[in-house]
Amino acid sequence: PESLEEVTETFVRIADACGVPERGEELRRSFWEGAERVLLATKKSGIVKTKEALPKLLFLEWVDPPFNGGHWIPDMVEKWSGCRTATSWVTNTCKSVQLSWQQIYDADPDLVVIACCGFDLKRNEKDALAARELLKPLRAFKQGRIYAADGNLYFARPGPALREGIAILSRCAYDGDKDVVNE
């Protein structure tokens, strides 16, 4: 699958193949309800009033060399987390794209989420610390908004845990905005 829509379609296809189609439909419905709850919470922000004011998030699927998030990650960021992507110049691709550090500096994101494909939280924390010098010029670094997440569990696998991945992105982006986080 290359989008969240395609991911949720697999819930239904697999359940059908197993002879329990109602479970697939229920899983798809609950996935979208959970994603919608996250998005509605971000719309309660007392800080963000326009699309241009949405937090600019850089999702790094790999750090050395840097790659943005591909497949369903753009959907998670742009459509459901209440953010805009820092790599807006990367279009018409579902694959992650290698970035230069200069491109990242030029984008100067509000926050960076390091969730390398296939790696757990501890490994991504280690990679974030190893990239510290490269991240220092960024506004996100200066404001203490570099985050590590379990890329393997919440972002790399096309399954129900992607809903929690959306919530993680929103929580990082709206940390400190009581109107959103308390929701």
Side-chain angles (χ1 to χ4, degrees):
E2 295 181 344
S3 68
L4 285 178
E5 187 63 42
E6 289 178 10
V7 169
T8 63
E9 286 171 14
T10 66
F11 301 167
V12 175
R13 278 199 309 269
I14 291 169
D16 281 346
C18 293
V20 288
E22 65 284 350
R23 287 188 181 177
E25 292 294 342
E26 171 59 24
L27 183 57
R28 178 168 56 183
R29 185 191 60 71
S30 69
F31 181 91
W32 290 120
E33 284 177 359
E36 186 68 28
R37 278 194 307 275
V38 172
L39 184 60
L40 288 174
T42 66
K43 292 184 183 225
K44 294 180 180 179
S45 173
I47 299 168
V48 176
K49 301 293 185 196
T50 65
K51 180 163 176 57
E52 294 75 32
L54 290 173
K56 188 167 45 165
L57 186 152
L58 174 63
F59 185 98
L60 288 179
E61 189 170 289
W62 205 252
V63 178
D64 185 19
F67 277 79
N68 72 331
H71 299 284
W72 44 82
I73 301 296
D75 278 355
M76 293 173 74
V77 173
E78 289 278 334
K79 293 180 183 175
W80 297 100
S81 74
C83 297
R84 58 194 169 109
T85 183
T87 56
S88 59
W89 68 89
V90 178
T91 58
N92 299 325
T93 180
C94 288
K95 304 226 182 277
S96 44
V97 174
Q98 184 174 346
L99 307 171
S100 71
W101 282 102
Q102 189 57 56
Q103 287 173 310
I104 293 170
Y105 299 146
D106 291 345
D108 199 21
D110 297 310
L111 68 149
V112 177
V113 175
I114 297 172
C116 298
C117 184
F119 291 163
D120 64 10
L121 177 59
K122 285 187 187 238
R123 173 60 192 268
N124 285 318
E125 287 173 339
K126 181 180 173 185
D127 286 352
L129 290 170
R132 182 179 171 88
E133 290 303 314
L134 291 166
L135 295 166
K136 271 186 177 179
L138 297 175
R139 171 182 26 186
F141 182 91
K142 294 171 188 168
Q143 295 176 353
R145 304 203 62 211
I146 307 289
Y147 302 91
D150 188 324
N152 191 45
L153 181 59
Y154 298 114
F155 300 100
R157 296 178 184 179
L162 293 176
R163 178 184 54 219
E164 283 73 26
I166 293 167
I168 289 167
L169 296 176
S170 295
R171 179 66 168 94
C172 294
Y174 289 90
D175 188 29
D177 187 339
K178 64 179 176 44
D179 297 323
V180 174
V181 175
N182 292 337
E183 193 60 30

